[in-house]
Amino acid sequence: MDDQTRMLTGLTGLGGLQPGDVGDPDSVRKQQSLGQPQQDIGDILQQIMAITDESLDEAQARCWPEDSPAHWGGSDDPTEGGRAGGGTAGGGLPVNFQYRKHALNCHRMKPALFSVLCEIKEKTVLSIRGVQEEDPPDPQIMRLDNMLLAEGVSGPEKGGGSAAAAAAAAAAGGSPTDSSIEHSDYRAKLAQIRQIYHSELEKYEQACSEFTNHVMNLLREQSRTRPISPKEIERMVAIIHRKFSSIQMQLKQSTCEAVMILRSRFLDARRKRRNFNKQATEVLNEYFYSHLSNPYPSEEAKEELAKKCGITVSQVSNWFGNKRIRYKKNIGKFQEEANLYAVKTAVDAANVSAQASQANSPATPNSGGYPAPCYTPDGRL
DNA sequence: CTTAATGATTGTTG
DNA sequence: CAACAATCATTAAG
């Protein structure tokens, strides 16, 4: 309300004028720099001045103009400057103004004065917040928008059925890998976030337009009684929109956060760990115990194992890393398992070598650093 | 619920 | 960078 204050001080100058000074062209020109006929200005100013000089009793003796809005006398009313500045009258009261205002409204110079006041106001307003009028497209909000678009949150509606469809596909799919289940879950949660986002956005937009309408109506109403230019209304609307868009940005930001959290939850496999299926661990164990002397699969071997087990190469690496360390830590615990797989490989090897009509030792040479479990080729300890 | 098993991550080392 | 070691977080089993 600094502009209002300025407005007041500006008009306080007018209010401070003595009735006799009003007619002085220089003083008027100083105040308004206008080229209007002095007589009219003097006339209307005199009326304004007269308001401050009028006593309450006098005013109350008059009747109320029935078409006057009742809220005249708002603290931000520019004409109040006349009262404030010319407070010598002991405080003009609303009743006074009601009448006087009506008189002024009918004055032929009223539109001119109105526009002048608007102009002054415009200038003060511009000097105060003219700089921050332009808001360049915030890179922050651009980033948020892009991300929401990329995630399909703010993009075109793909239908709430997308998640359901994905779930159905996962359920009916011939290879219902865990990833697809997780993915459908992810999609479902994303759809939820998306729905919340849109409903909130809609709410904000509705509230914004409601509020804007309300303010506009109010200002239009008031523009009949105080200087409000259409430009000012426009600016007010812009301010409201900026406020609401900043709220929207908060919404976008929190939505982004939710998506990020969702993503990290689903992409961080550690949090959604699934055990490998039996067949996969069997393949891995088979390899491990049959290469116990050197349980370090080459890159190619890892790739093959990964393919066989339906897991990634890095998962194979993880598995071997864990296996080696855990085996080494407690060989006894793995004894049984080792024997089991050793038998398996032994049997396999026997099957193969039996056809070759020669049984060379099926066990691993075991020349490496990992101690082999004790077992006999026939499977007994 | 507690506990063991287990896949993944993090930090360190050579 | 791969291997190791410690640790985390989840799952499965009791």
Side-chain angles (χ1 to χ4, degrees):
Chain A
M1 292 308 151
D2 264 339
D3 46 338
Q4 307 288 5
T5 311
R6 285 226 202 166
M7 208 52 238
L8 291 180
T9 55
L11 287 172
T12 301
L14 291 179
L17 291 171
Q18 295 306 308
D21 298 335
V22 171
D24 177 12
D26 281 347
S27 87
V28 171
R29 221 166 266 129
K30 256 182 253 165
Q31 296 296 333
Q32 307 194 347
S33 37
L34 284 176
Q36 307 232 351
Q38 309 163 7
Q39 212 45 41
D40 287 330
I41 294 169
D43 194 9
I44 198 165
L45 285 177
Q46 199 124 26
Q47 284 201 44
I48 294 174
M49 295 310 302
I51 292 174
T52 67
D53 289 337
E54 198 169 54
S55 78
L56 180 60
D57 293 339
E58 242 179 301
Q60 274 179 338
R62 308 175 197 274
C63 63
W64 287 71
E66 62 272 278
D67 63 337
S68 299
H71 58 262
W72 181 259
S75 65
D76 56 348
D77 199 294
T79 53
E80 189 174 78
R83 181 176 60 187
T88 53
L93 288 171
V95 180
N96 250 341
F97 288 112
Q98 287 288 353
Y99 178 80
R100 284 293 177 182
K101 188 213 71 189
H102 185 249
L104 281 176
N105 264 340
C106 300
H107 195 280
R108 63 193 175 89
M109 283 304 292
K110 189 245 177 183
L113 177 62
F114 187 92
S115 74
V116 167
L117 288 172
C118 279
E119 207 174 297
I120 294 171
K121 207 171 162 188
E122 192 71 23
K123 276 177 192 159
T124 54
V125 164
L126 279 178
S127 72
I128 286 167
R129 54 172 167 230
V131 187
Q132 64 200 33
E133 272 309 306
E134 308 302 324
D135 53 331
D138 191 357
Q140 172 80 2
I141 202 165
M142 295 276 282
R143 214 166 51 81
L144 291 177
D145 273 337
N146 284 341
M147 180 185 158
L148 288 176
L149 206 62
E151 286 305 321
V153 173
S154 62
E157 182 69 50
K158 277 186 286 184
S162 73
S175 57
T177 48
D178 297 339
S179 66
S180 73
I181 291 172
E182 273 179 39
H183 193 244
S184 76
D185 207 3
Y186 174 80
R187 295 287 287 274
K189 289 244 166 68
L190 196 64
Q192 205 177 330
I193 290 176
R194 175 201 174 88
Q195 194 201 326
I196 292 171
Y197 170 79
H198 276 115
S199 73
E200 287 295 307
L201 201 63
E202 202 177 326
K203 257 194 269 175
Y204 287 158
E205 257 155 26
Q206 197 183 333
C208 179
S209 71
E210 261 175 37
F211 188 67
T212 303
N213 274 340
H214 183 248
V215 168
M216 272 173 71
N217 286 337
L218 209 67
L219 288 179
R220 274 204 212 99
E221 171 84 12
Q222 290 198 354
S223 72
R224 288 196 288 142
T225 59
R226 67 188 185 97
I228 299 173
S229 62
K231 209 172 164 187
E232 201 183 337
I233 295 179
E234 227 171 82
R235 194 161 39 236
M236 196 61 92
V237 168
I239 288 169
I240 293 169
H241 282 175
R242 260 205 298 284
K243 285 278 183 229
F244 271 92
S245 77
S246 85
I247 293 173
Q248 278 186 10
M249 196 175 85
Q250 281 185 332
L251 172 67
K252 281 175 184 175
Q253 202 154 8
S254 59
T255 304
C256 269
E257 258 170 50
V259 171
M260 293 295 253
I261 290 168
L262 184 67
R263 277 195 134 202
S264 73
R265 279 196 83 81
F266 277 88
L267 291 184
D268 185 4
R270 181 159 87 170
R271 293 180 181 280
K272 201 74 181 174
R273 205 196 94 236
R274 307 238 69 130
N275 289 350
F276 298 153
N277 59 43
K278 218 163 180 176
Q279 184 250 333
T281 52
E282 214 155 288
V283 170
L284 293 167
N285 273 318
E286 222 168 277
Y287 187 99
F288 180 79
Y289 287 110
S290 65
H291 297 75
L292 205 52
S293 60
N294 186 35
Y296 299 90
S298 64
E299 202 57 35
E300 298 84 58
K302 279 184 195 171
E303 274 172 35
E304 186 163 337
L305 285 168
K307 209 158 119 189
K308 249 195 254 182
C309 300
I311 58 179
T312 67
V313 173
S314 65
Q315 279 179 306
V316 173
S317 298
N318 283 340
W319 190 90
F320 272 90
N322 282 322
K323 193 71 186 179
R324 280 190 301 261
I325 196 91
R326 283 164 184 165
Y327 179 82
K328 196 173 80 177
K329 230 172 172 174
N330 190 352
I331 295 172
K333 202 165 67 182
F334 289 90
Q335 199 66 232
E336 201 179 324
E337 188 179 73
N339 286 329
L340 199 135
Y341 283 101
V343 169
K344 211 188 256 279
T345 57
V347 169
D348 284 352
N351 283 346
V352 173
S353 58
Q355 284 177 336
S357 79
Q358 189 42 269
N360 48 0
S361 179
T364 44
N366 190 25
S367 56
Y370 284 88
C374 52
Y375 67 93
T376 56
D378 63 359
R380 284 182 285 114
L381 284 172

